[in-house]
Amino acid sequence: MQKDLNIFTELVEQLLSEETKHPVAEHIPTSELYNELDLSLNAEGTIDDTLIENLKKIIKSTPKTASKSFFNQLFGGRIGKATLGDLLAVMLNNSMYTYKVAGPQVGIEKQVLKNISKLAGYPENSDGTFAPGGSMSNMMALIMARDAKNESIRAKGLTSKMIIYTSAESHYSIAKNAALTGIGREQVRLVDTNEKGEMLASHLETLIKEDLKNSHIPFFVNATAGTTVLGAFDDITTLSPICKTYNLWLHVDGAYCGSVIFSQKYRHLVKGLEHSDSFSVNAHKMLGTPLSCSIIVTKHPEQLHHSFSNEADYLYQTDGDDFNLGKTSMQCGRRNDALKIWTLWKSVGTKGLEKIVDKQFEMAQVARDYIENNKDYKLYSFDDSISVCFNYKDIDPKKLCTALYEDAKLMVGFGSYKNEQFVRMVTINSVLEKADILAFFKTLEAYVDEKMLKIPTT
């Protein structure tokens, strides 16, 4: 094992060097992937030297999500103490379904869940779990809401049309989960949004009344804290009274920006969160832990247990349900995703996590200020968002972002809202400083000047 750890150290040093020297990996077209790299699996193994050289080539060609040129996804960067926790979790290799096999790691997970619940404004007895990602957290909320509406569904299945409500700007997992849980995509109602992409409570109530009139069963409202494109926050204070009036489960999908609960300055963006029934947040997004670290909590612990527990004598052989986490999880075998957020939180404290969150908004403001002070840019996004959406010189954003990626200049994506397409620069990367934001724009501008004739305008 020590020999392999030495190899690992050598490969990590290679990665860190590549992130500095070549922050955007050289693009390999999919048609050339298997010619450029030896990814084959053969009857005979390879000796260490050959394997190491192969891995180094793979590292060189893999996108560098922790580099200062990565603005593409809703994650990025690398925080040392969180990475330390994840590496330790791999070495410990515990599964989190029972206290017998996970020991104090169960206590670590429970402490994280307890403190997230407290920050959400939930009661002392609230509970939750870690899921493989935000999509699965949303599915768990949906299942709890379904079973809370009709507890016989677990045994007998669906017998009536049950209706889900979410904004047109919400995450695609809502419709996907409707299909996977037997609700059906056609039972998902898309609620209109305002100019910022925030769900309109008035339209929500109109849709609910129509479904009740047609003898359908409304049961679940999904509010979003940080929509995928514009980073908008649905107004929980206007949605929760409607949910209470019609007895609907209110879930807040905070996968992207739910971490504002750590910030005194920005937690107003989820005002009213304490009135929701469940809340999910991805620590691998705004808090900067390694992938994946998705958390869901609910103020209804009995519903969590009802929806996901199943007896198994061969598994639950010691200790009570409170410490046998398989009773409240979608999964049986489950890796330890709690340790990385615990090591980070323990090392920097709640105030340190607040600084991590606040800095991302600060970097977004630096970007918006630059755009607004340059006549060649058009800004589409707004304050209190870490998604900075813009266009430059009316150049087709899809072609621009693709060209920047293929020529290894920048990793940045594009998005659209209300028939407008734009570059979507995300300032969630934990290693970014003001100089890196300004360097992004200078790199983009220099590239356009060089390639102007080859990039069609819109």
Side-chain angles (χ1 to χ4, degrees):
M1 188 68 217
Q2 188 59 54
K3 183 179 180 181
D4 287 331
L5 288 174
N6 292 338
I7 293 173
F8 175 75
T9 300
E10 181 181 346
L11 294 173
V12 168
E13 289 174 353
Q14 160 88 6
L15 172 60
L16 296 176
S17 175
E18 284 291 327
E19 287 173 351
T20 301
K21 295 177 182 178
H22 306 104
V24 181
E26 186 173 338
H27 172 64
I28 301 178
T30 54
S31 59
E32 297 296 322
L33 179 62
Y34 296 108
N35 296 325
E36 291 285 332
L37 299 173
D38 179 9
L39 305 181
S40 62
L41 296 171
N42 307 305
E44 301 296 330
T46 57
I47 59 175
D48 277 355
D49 288 347
T50 303
L51 178 62
I52 291 168
E53 288 308 308
N54 200 358
L55 286 170
K56 285 184 176 180
K57 289 179 180 179
I58 292 170
I59 288 170
K60 186 174 182 179
S61 301
T62 300
K64 305 300 181 291
T65 64
S67 86
K68 294 186 175 184
S69 295
F70 186 80
F71 299 83
N72 199 75
Q73 240 65 45
L74 306 183
F75 66 91
R78 184 184 298 115
I79 299 177
K81 289 298 190 296
T83 304
L84 172 65
D86 207 19
L87 293 173
L88 186 55
V90 170
M91 293 298 292
L92 288 167
N93 201 34
N94 300 104
S95 190
M96 298 299 290
Y97 40 47
T98 67
Y99 185 76
K100 183 178 181 180
V101 75
Q105 301 300 321
V106 170
I108 282 172
E109 179 165 321
K110 287 172 68 67
Q111 278 297 303
V112 173
L113 295 170
K114 178 181 179 180
N115 282 274
I116 292 289
S117 296
K118 184 177 180 180
L119 287 168
Y122 283 1
E124 181 71 22
N125 70 332
S126 299
D127 201 1
T129 189
F130 281 70
S135 293
M136 192 64 73
S137 290
N138 287 341
M139 179 185 279
M140 293 187 73
L142 181 62
I143 291 171
M144 285 190 286
R146 182 199 67 185
D147 297 348
K149 196 71 171 181
N150 184 348
E151 64 178 17
S152 69
I153 286 175
R154 285 190 71 191
K156 297 180 180 180
L158 290 168
T159 56
S160 303
K161 285 188 177 181
M162 302 184 73
I163 310 299
I164 295 168
Y165 305 89
T166 192
S167 86
E169 300 306 309
S170 66
H171 193 254
Y172 79 98
S173 64
I174 304 303
K176 182 177 181 179
N177 290 339
L180 293 172
T181 55
I183 302 297
R185 295 178 189 270
E186 292 183 2
Q187 274 58 259
V188 178
R189 305 288 185 259
L190 297 181
V191 184
D192 290 345
T193 61
N194 62 16
E195 70 282 356
K196 290 185 176 181
E198 300 165 344
M199 188 191 300
L200 294 174
S202 58
H203 189 229
L204 170 64
E205 187 162 25
T206 297
L207 291 175
I208 292 170
K209 288 179 177 178
E210 288 177 1
D211 283 314
L212 289 171
K213 184 179 179 180
N214 291 318
S215 300
H216 300 327
I217 304 174
F219 78 104
F220 182 75
V221 173
N222 176 74
T224 307
T227 55
T228 309
V229 176
L230 290 177
F233 291 78
D234 289 337
D235 187 351
I236 302 169
T237 61
T238 63
L239 302 176
S240 58
I242 296 172
C243 292
K244 285 182 171 56
T245 297
Y246 297 96
N247 191 28
L248 308 185
W249 183 287
L250 176 58
H251 172 63
V252 177
D253 172 11
Y256 181 13
C257 295
S259 294
V260 294
I261 59 174
F262 287 91
S263 171
Q264 294 298 317
K265 186 174 183 180
Y266 294 102
R267 67 171 296 115
H268 71 274
L269 296 171
V270 289
K271 183 180 180 181
L273 178 60
E274 67 276 9
H275 299 303
S276 64
D277 296 286
S278 57
F279 167 63
S280 59
V281 58
N282 284 357
H284 61 258
K285 291 194 165 93
M286 290 191 85
L287 298 182
T289 72
L291 288 158
S292 63
C293 195
S294 185
I295 301 161
I296 178 169
V297 293
T298 177
K299 62 171 60 171
H300 308 291
E302 70 290 344
Q303 192 59 56
L304 183 72
H305 189 275
H306 171 75
S307 290
F308 300 108
S309 66
N310 223 62
E311 294 305 321
D313 291 341
Y314 58 82
L315 187 64
Y316 304 116
Q317 298 179 345
T318 63
D319 309 297
D321 283 357
D322 284 351
F323 281 80
N324 285 330
L325 302 182
K327 295 287 187 78
T328 51
S329 172
M330 178 83 79
Q331 302 156 265
C332 180
R334 178 164 64 87
R335 79 182 306 276
N336 183 1
D337 285 329
L339 186 55
K340 53 193 158 192
I341 178 60
W342 184 88
T343 53
L344 174 60
W345 201 335
K346 187 74 170 176
S347 64
V348 302
T350 305
K351 291 182 179 179
L353 296 182
E354 179 178 28
K355 290 179 181 178
I356 291 171
V357 171
D358 287 353
K359 185 181 177 184
Q360 291 161 44
F361 285 98
E362 179 187 341
M363 293 301 100
Q365 190 57 51
V366 169
R368 283 191 296 270
D369 288 345
Y370 184 91
I371 291 167
E372 290 182 318
N373 288 316
N374 190 315
K375 62 182 178 57
D376 290 327
Y377 288 86
K378 180 179 179 180
L379 182 66
Y380 291 89
S381 54
F382 44 84
D383 292 348
D384 291 344
S385 171
I386 61 171
S387 293
V388 182
C389 302
F390 67 90
N391 276 331
Y392 179 62
K393 290 185 175 181
D394 291 326
I395 296 171
D396 184 303
K398 181 177 180 179
K399 290 183 170 62
L400 176 58
C401 292
T402 301
L404 287 164
Y405 159 61
E406 291 181 345
D407 288 346
K409 298 297 182 181
L410 291 168
M411 285 282 285
V412 64
F414 55 90
S416 61
Y417 181 67
K418 293 189 182 299
N419 299 317
E420 292 275 5
Q421 194 172 66
F422 37 70
V423 177
R424 185 194 64 167
M425 171 198 193
V426 183
T427 60
I428 205 167
N429 189 328
S430 60
V431 301
L432 297 176
E433 301 291 345
K434 181 177 179 179
D436 303 311
I437 302 296
L438 299 179
F440 168 91
F441 291 110
K442 295 304 180 185
T443 300
L444 184 152
E445 291 162 10
Y447 179 78
V448 168
D449 287 345
E450 178 187 353
K451 302 283 187 176
M452 192 64 191
L453 295 178
K454 297 182 181 180
I455 305 175
T457 57
T458 53

